[in-house]
Amino acid sequence: MFDKSIPLLYRTRHRKFRHHKEGIEQVRKMWGDEAAKAAEIHIRTDLKSDGWPEHNPISLNKEHFERSGLW
């Protein structure tokens, strides 16, 4: 769980760099499949806590994250 006292803008800035499918694949390359699964769960949990509709797909990369309105 993250610290909700951290402003939303800061959290989304941080997230645009790793909270997408490309970031999950980076985790997979570095630490394997189990870590990638954990990263995806972490990303979904963080995004849901900011009001992201669960039925929306995870962004593909940083640029897609920015275009999706999450930034």
Side-chain angles (χ1 to χ4, degrees):
M1 189 59 87
F2 65 89
D3 181 353
K4 286 197 178 218
S5 68
I6 299 171
L8 177 59
L9 180 60
Y10 175 80
R11 291 192 317 254
T12 56
R13 268 188 203 161
H14 158 78
R15 291 174 184 170
K16 79 175 185 172
F17 293 105
R18 295 284 184 253
H19 282 53
H20 43 65
K21 290 191 181 274
E22 191 174 276
I24 294 169
E25 290 310 310
Q26 290 171 343
V27 168
R28 186 183 316 283
K29 286 179 187 175
M30 294 175 76
W31 295 293
D33 291 338
E34 289 301 312
K37 288 177 192 174
E40 183 171 347
I41 291 168
H42 168 82
I43 289 167
R44 288 183 182 281
T45 300
D46 279 358
L47 293 174
K48 277 183 8 182
S49 72
D50 290 336
W52 173 77
E54 193 170 350
H55 65 274
N56 283 359
I58 292 176
S59 297
L60 300 175
N61 53 36
K62 178 183 158 220
E63 292 77 18
H64 187 235
F65 185 94
E66 290 173 341
R67 286 193 312 269
S68 70
L70 294 167
W71 162 243

